[in-house]
Each structure stands twice: as structure tokens, then as C-alpha cells.
Amino acid sequence: MTTSAKMLIAVACAVLLLGTLAACSPLTAINALSPNSASKVTPGIAYGSDARHKLDIYAPKEGTASGSAPVVVFFYGGNWDTGERADYAFVGHALASRGIVAVIADYRLYPQVRYPDFLDDSAQALAWTVQEVAQHGGDPSRVYLMGHSAGAYNAAMVALDARRLAGSSAQPVRGWIGLAGPYNFIPIENPTARLVFPYPNTPSASQPINHLSASSPPALLIAARDDKLVHPANNTGALAQKLRALGIPVTERYFDRVSHATLVASLAGPLRMLAPTLDEIERFIASDGGRLPLIKEALP
């Protein structure tokens, strides 16, 4: 098969998957078409006592015994009332293909819980990772948090609100990565989010933008430029501006060919032509969250 033919097939798959995602269908198709040969998967590990306290680990097949690979703990979106870690296997495989140990964690959802219980779950998943990830080839001193949409909110709150880690064995994260996250959404307009958070008396402490300090970890913030669900200027832009004012390393990226949903889907092999999301994540981690100059050899 020629390169041109392969490209046409990839584009056709992308069109099909975009339609699937737009219709909010399960992500079975995108996972089926995502390369997975570079990953060693350890599924269904309990990090707590609830049935939802489970995580899957995707480790690079090469070098998994070294204990030196960077680690990303990923939280999916879904408005805090839907989501399953298995649907995001493509995220784990994508990160593992770049030499990163990926931890995809479930957390309790509405109506079982409301704010802030799912943040306690996210912090607990992080604490478990720091304690146990060395057994899966990861370096517990190089742990990053990452999330998409509602999951980006979880990642932001755990990374920025020191109270979330109080009394845990987790150490401060090296950085965090937010994809299309809501960081500054009072007053709440989304009807489901109004059920998840106290409304109309939503506490200011529920907003990531209100937990910034000079000791906040570096951030990579990515959004779809024309996001119709989470306004990028009010959320990604406003948070990046405040981080920058505090002298915190922050990388801010906006992509034109993705939507709120397809931004995370662009991590999958068939859809990477939509946006260089995976490349940006790899650069951020290779530079230690922007603390170090990027080493050319770290990228293909």
C-alpha cells in the first residue's frame, strides 16, 4: 500500500471518528484503530475501597524495568457524571508510545457524589501512583497530572490546591496538563454542573483560578480556539495570564482544527493530523515543565 493510500485511509477514519465523537458515542472505534504495540497494560488496579477507585497503567514496553520514565496521571472528562477509564485506552497507548508511563484513573461520579468528593478520589489516585509507580517503570519524582474537560478541572484542583494533598504520601507534582479545562466558571451555566456543584452559592474555593501562588507547578494549557462548551478566553486564557503574572512557567496553545471533544481525540494515532497535542505534551515533559531548555534528541 502506498503512502498516499495510507493517508487517505487515515483521513477517512478521522472523518468517521469525528462523527462518532460528535454524536457522543462510545470511543470503541477510536481505541480499535489506535496503535497499542508499544504498551504494556496493567488493568483494574484498586487505589481505594470504592468500586470506582480503579486505574489502568500503560507502560512503555521498552525500559519498563528502569523506573526512570516520566509519569502522567490522566483524568477524563464527562461533566463529572459520565466516564470510564477503558474508553481512554488510546490516551494511555499514545503516552506510552512516547516513553511515558500513563495512569488512567476512574473516580466517583454524580449522583453518587458531588463536589468535592471526586477531587478527593483524584488526589488518592495520585498518592497511590507516587507510592507504587516505580514497580511499573515510572519515576515517582517525575509525576505529572493531566485531564480533559472536567478531568482537566480535577487535575488543576489537585495540582493547585495544596489542601488536596494534605496528609497524603504524594509529593508535589512536577507539572500539570489541562486540555479544554474549566478553571473559572462562576456563575455556573451548565445545568448538570449546577447539580454537581453548590448552586447558586458556588464557593470561590471551587475554582482552580483562585488557588494560584508563586509555588504553583508549571502548566501546559491547550484548548480548541473555537470551543463551544468551555470558553477558552475565560478559562485557559485567564488562568494562563494569572500564572504568568506570578512567574509560573506556563505554555499556552490554541488549535484551530479541533473542537472541545476532538482535542483529546487528537492524541489517537488516526487523528494526530488534527493537532500536535501529543507533541506538545512530550515537549512539556521533556523540558521538565518548561524549567529546562528542550533537548533536541528528546523529540523525533
Side-chain angles (χ1 to χ4, degrees), residues 40 42 45 55 57 59-60 63-73 101-103 125-143:
K40 176 184 177 182
T42 307
I45 301 174
L55 54 83
I57 297 179
T64 53
S66 68
S68 61
V71 181
V72 167
V73 181
V101 174
V103 178
L126 171 62
W128 183 96
T129 299
V130 171
Q131 184 173 349
E132 303 292 344
V133 77
Q135 300 179 41
H136 301 272
D139 183 346
S141 69
R142 300 175 67 198
V143 176

Side-chain angles (χ1 to χ4, degrees), residues 51 79-80 148-149 155 268:
N79 221 8
W80 300 284
H148 169 247
S149 193

Side-chain angles (χ1 to χ4, degrees), residues 13-231:
C13 289
V15 172
L16 173 63
L17 291 171
L18 284 171
T20 301
L21 288 168
C24 299
S25 299
L27 297 171
T28 304
I30 195 170
N31 282 318
L33 292 169
S34 296
N36 59 24
S37 60
S39 308
K40 176 184 177 182
V41 184
T42 307
I45 301 174
Y47 69 85
S49 58
D50 191 85
R52 294 280 303 176
H53 290 160
K54 297 287 180 62
L55 54 83
D56 299 337
I57 297 179
Y58 298 77
K61 282 187 176 178
E62 298 296 328
T64 53
S66 68
S68 61
V71 181
V72 167
V73 181
F74 176 79
F75 305 110
Y76 48 74
N79 221 8
W80 300 284
D81 71 342
T82 59
E84 299 289 341
R85 66 186 188 278
D87 288 341
Y88 293 85
F90 69 91
V91 175
H93 292 309
L95 294 171
S97 74
R98 301 295 176 93
I100 300 164
V101 174
V103 178
I104 314 293
D106 278 336
Y107 52 94
R108 289 173 297 168
L109 302 170
Y110 176 85
Q112 180 184 1
V113 298
R114 292 175 171 81
Y115 165 87
D117 295 337
F118 44 79
L119 297 178
D120 296 334
D121 295 352
S122 301
Q124 191 173 354
L126 171 62
W128 183 96
T129 299
V130 171
Q131 184 173 349
E132 303 292 344
V133 77
Q135 300 179 41
H136 301 272
D139 183 346
S141 69
R142 300 175 67 198
V143 176
Y144 295 79
L145 293 175
M146 174 176 157
H148 169 247
S149 193
Y153 169 87
N154 291 13
M157 286 293 285
V158 175
L160 299 174
D161 183 359
R163 296 175 302 173
R164 296 290 152 209
L165 300 179
S168 78
S169 61
Q171 308 198 357
V173 296
R174 293 302 295 171
W176 68 280
I177 301 156
L179 308 180
Y183 314 118
N184 180 36
F185 54 95
I186 293 177
I188 297 176
E189 297 179 356
N190 182 287
T192 300
R194 288 181 175 182
L195 299 173
V196 175
F197 292 83
Y199 178 84
N201 301 313
T202 312
S204 61
S206 67
Q207 304 298 289
I209 200 167
N210 295 327
H211 291 283
L212 306 184
S213 71
S215 61
S216 296
L220 168 61
L221 304 178
I222 303 177
R225 194 179 303 277
D226 193 28
D227 192 326
K228 302 297 187 184
L229 294 179
V230 178
H231 195 282

